[in-house]
């Protein structure tokens, strides 16, 4: 549960600062921050604003207007589909994906594939919490940073 962090302004500020500093510590800075539906929307826009870069949402199917690119992926209990607006990320742009949780890695892994389908590069996936025993990072085709490992 990440909501207690949001209820504590000092903790929320620290969390955002940790994410921003992690990104700034790398040799390449992103052009775009992608937030995953829906809790990635809580962190992604703030991080993007701090870095002075664009924010782009990746959403569940049927939520975005206009032309979209999509990917369907396997869940432990079925299938799901993610979508991104077709022109939201340009070829060769560098992207960081942000979400609240990495568990089995299906959503973040699918998001990386969707971004790569647009000919962009995923520099890193960042999560607030990672459930390490589930080995979700193994399904993600990018370096992973998590603030809390459980």
């Amino acid at each position: 549960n990440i909501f207690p962090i949001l209820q504590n302004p000092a903790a929320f500020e620290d969390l955002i600062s940790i994410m921003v500093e992690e990104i700034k510590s790398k040799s390449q800075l992103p052009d775009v921050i992608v937030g995953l539906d829906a809790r990635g929307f809580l962190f992604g826009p703030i991080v993007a604003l701090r870095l002075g870069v664009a924010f782009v949402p990746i959403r569940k199917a049927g939520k975005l207007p206009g032309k979209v690119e999509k990917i369907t992926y396997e869940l432990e209990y079925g299938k799901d589909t993610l979508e991104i607006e077709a022109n939201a990320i340009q070829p060769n742009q560098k992207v960081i994906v942000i979400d609240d949780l990495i568990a089995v890695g299906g959503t973040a892994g699918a998001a990386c594939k969707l971004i790569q389908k647009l000919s962009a590069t995923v520099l890193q996936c960042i999560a607030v919490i990672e459930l390490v025993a589930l080995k979700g990072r193994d399904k993600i085709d990018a370096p992973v940073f998590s603030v809390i490992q459980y």
Side-chain angles (χ1 to χ4, degrees), residues 2 36 39 99-103 105 107-108 126-131:
I2 59 157
L36 301 186
R39 292 184 185 113
D99 203 5
D100 68 322
L101 177 69
I102 294 174
T107 304
I126 296 178
V128 177
I129 301 167
E130 179 181 4
L131 302 179

Side-chain angles (χ1 to χ4, degrees), residues 8-92:
N8 180 326
F12 192 24
E13 173 63 38
D14 287 346
L15 176 63
I16 295 297
S17 294
I18 289 168
M19 291 179 175
V20 169
E21 290 309 313
E22 167 64 18
I23 294 166
K24 286 182 174 181
S25 74
K26 304 300 181 192
S27 61
Q28 294 187 72
L29 293 178
D31 302 302
V32 177
I33 300 293
V34 163
L36 301 186
D37 196 345
R39 292 184 185 113
F41 301 169
L42 299 172
F43 309 106
I46 299 169
V47 171
L49 187 62
R50 296 265 176 97
L51 294 169
V53 301
F55 173 77
V56 173
I58 286 184
R59 302 218 54 197
K60 303 289 184 184
K63 306 276 185 181
L64 291 171
K67 186 178 178 206
V68 297
E69 294 290 339
K70 60 178 73 177
I71 189 167
T72 299
Y73 63 102
E74 297 289 329
L75 298 167
E76 54 274 14
Y77 50 83
K79 293 184 178 186
D80 207 350
T81 301
L82 295 176
E83 294 181 342
I84 189 170
E85 289 181 289
N87 296 317
I89 296 175
Q90 302 304 308
N92 302 313

Side-chain angles (χ1 to χ4, degrees), residues 94-138:
K94 298 179 292 295
V95 179
I96 294 203
V97 176
I98 295 181
D99 203 5
D100 68 322
L101 177 69
I102 294 174
V104 297
T107 304
C112 289
K113 288 183 175 96
L114 184 55
I115 292 163
Q116 291 163 349
K117 184 177 174 182
L118 299 173
S119 300
T121 301
V122 180
L123 297 177
Q124 188 174 32
C125 287
I126 296 178
V128 177
I129 301 167
E130 179 181 4
L131 302 179
V132 178
L134 298 179
K135 300 182 181 176
R137 68 173 49 223
D138 295 346

